[in-house]
Amino acid sequence: MNFQQLRYIVEVDRNGLNVSEAADTLFTSQPGVSKQIRALEEELGVAIFVRHGKRIVDVTEPGREVLAIARRVLADADNLQRVGEEFRNEGQGRLSIATTHTQARYMLPKVIAEFTRRYPKVRLELHQGSPRQVCDMVLSGDADLVIATEAIAEYPELVMLPCYQWNRGVVAPSDHPILKARPLTLEEIARWPIVTYDSAFTGRGQMNKAFLGRGLKPNVVLTAIDSDVIKTYVRMGLGIGIVASMAFDPLMDKGLGMNDAGHLFESSTTRIGIRRNVWLRGYVYAFVELFAPALTRRVVDAAREGGGTDPGL
C-alpha cells in the first residue's frame, strides 16, 4: 500500500468515477490508475468500486470507508508539509481564496489590500465561481478557503465560520417611481419586471421565499451571477434590480438609486468554509480575522475542533 494508490482512488471518486479524467488530472495513464487500484483492492481483500464490465459505476460500502480513511491520510501527509513550510518560511507562501463575484468585487478589496501590506511575500490567488463550485475547489485542495453565502452549509466536510449578515435593496434608474415607494412592499416590487441573481447565488432563496409567502409571483425577466451585470441591464431599462445592498455605491453607480428592502427579506449570512483537519498557516488565520474580526485564531480553532459553528452570527 502506498500514497500513490490512495491518491488514485480519491481522484477517481472526485472525478465522478471517471478513470480517464482522474488519470488526466494525475498526469498518468488510465491503465496505470486501474492497475494500482486493483492492486490496492487485492491487498485489502475488498472491492472499493463497483464495476460493470470495465467501467466503474459506484463505490462499495467498504469502499466508502476506505475512501474516508484515504482522504484523512492524504490530508495528514499534506499537513506535515504545511508544518514544515510554516516554520521554515514564515510569512511566505500562497493563499488561494475561492469566492463568488459579489464577495470578490465588494467585500474583499480592502481586506486584500491590508493583507498584502502585512504579508508582501504571500502570493494571493482569487478564484470565482458559483457557491458549489467554490466549495468544491476547497474540498479538492485547489483553494485554502471559501467565502460564500449559499452552499457551505451543505458540505459537512467544511467547517462553517459565520462572518456577517446582509440584506437586499432594489436598484432602479434615478427617476423610477419605485425609489419613492414608502414603505416599500413586495406588492410594489412585483408590479415591475425584475433583474436579479441566478437561483444558485447570493441569497436568491430568501427572495423567492418572501414572494411565495405573500402569494406573489415576481416577473423575473433576467438573472445573472454578477451584481454589475444586473445593474447594467437596469440602466438599460430592462427592469428593476434586486441586489445585495453592499453591491450599490452611490458614487460609482451614477444614474441609479437604491431603495432599501431589508425589511422584506430574511437576512443572509456570509460564511468562510475551511476543510476539516487541515493545517492552517499563520497568515491564513490572519486573513480570516481581517475579513471577520470576530474570527480570531482561538475562535477558528475551537470551531474546527468542535466540528463547526452555529449556523448564524
Side-chain angles (χ1 to χ4, degrees), residues 10-308:
V10 168
E11 201 63 36
V12 166
D13 183 60
R14 193 170 76 86
N15 280 274
L17 307 180
N18 189 312
V19 180
S20 295
E21 291 183 6
D24 289 343
T25 303
L26 293 161
F27 302 103
T28 188
S29 67
Q30 179 180 342
V33 172
S34 298
K35 181 179 178 180
Q36 288 297 322
I37 292 175
R38 288 284 193 186
L40 179 60
E41 290 177 319
E42 289 174 8
E43 182 173 353
L44 295 176
V46 296
I48 298 171
F49 297 110
V50 178
R51 293 171 175 83
H52 183 72
K54 294 184 178 181
R55 290 179 56 246
I56 290 177
V57 296
D58 202 354
V59 181
T60 65
E61 186 173 347
R64 298 183 199 286
E65 295 296 324
V66 171
L67 281 165
I69 295 170
R71 291 190 188 96
R72 291 199 298 270
V73 170
L74 292 173
D76 285 342
D78 189 42
N79 285 342
L80 287 174
Q81 291 183 326
R82 289 170 180 257
V83 171
E85 291 172 0
E86 174 73 9
F87 292 98
R88 187 174 64 251
N89 299 308
E90 188 174 357
Q92 298 183 40
R94 177 192 75 111
L95 175 57
S96 181
I97 303 158
T99 190
T100 57
H101 168 84
T102 299
Q103 302 298 327
R105 169 67 177 82
Y106 297 101
M107 299 305 295
L108 281 174
K110 290 182 179 179
V111 175
I112 287 176
E114 177 60 21
F115 180 85
T116 54
R117 187 188 69 78
R118 295 188 190 183
Y119 296 91
K121 295 183 179 180
V122 175
R123 186 178 78 255
L124 275 174
E125 296 177 359
L126 197 60
H127 304 279
Q128 295 183 55
S130 71
R132 287 181 176 79
Q133 286 173 334
V134 294
C135 285
D136 287 338
M137 290 178 195
V138 174
L139 291 179
S140 67
D142 293 330
D144 298 298
L145 55 87
V146 56
I147 303 173
T149 299
E150 290 82 3
I152 294 180
E154 301 173 16
Y155 288 78
E157 306 95 326
L158 298 178
V159 177
M160 296 184 296
L161 302 167
C163 300
Y164 65 91
Q165 290 183 322
W166 57 270
N167 217 303
R168 296 146 194 80
V170 173
V171 293
S174 300
D175 58 353
H176 197 287
I178 200 164
L179 298 179
K180 299 178 182 179
R182 298 288 189 277
L184 180 64
T185 64
L186 291 172
E187 286 77 9
E188 178 65 23
I189 295 174
R191 290 181 52 211
W192 305 94
I194 296 170
V195 184
T196 192
Y197 299 109
D198 181 84
S199 58
F201 283 76
T202 318
R204 176 69 187 275
Q206 280 89 337
M207 189 191 99
N208 293 343
K209 182 179 177 182
F211 282 109
L212 185 63
R214 297 296 292 268
L216 298 170
K217 186 175 181 180
N219 179 21
V220 178
V221 296
L222 179 69
T223 61
I225 64 175
D226 183 325
S227 303
D228 293 329
V229 170
I230 292 172
K231 289 183 288 186
T232 294
Y233 285 96
V234 169
R235 286 190 182 92
M236 292 172 56
L238 193 65
I240 61 173
I242 301 179
V243 299
S245 297
M246 70 186 91
F248 179 77
D249 184 336
L251 296 178
M252 299 293 292
D253 294 319
K254 298 292 186 182
L256 297 179
M258 186 178 77
N259 197 346
D260 181 67
H263 58 292
L264 300 177
F265 305 104
E266 291 182 13
S267 295
S268 295
T269 301
T270 291
R271 297 175 172 87
I272 287 177
I274 300 171
R275 277 182 296 163
R276 299 187 186 279
N277 305 316
V278 67
W279 173 270
L280 299 180
R281 299 191 64 180
Y283 56 72
V284 179
Y285 288 102
F287 182 90
V288 170
E289 189 169 354
L290 278 172
F291 186 78
L295 296 179
T296 62
R297 185 168 189 151
R298 180 184 62 80
V299 171
V300 172
D301 283 342
R304 295 171 68 216
E305 293 167 7

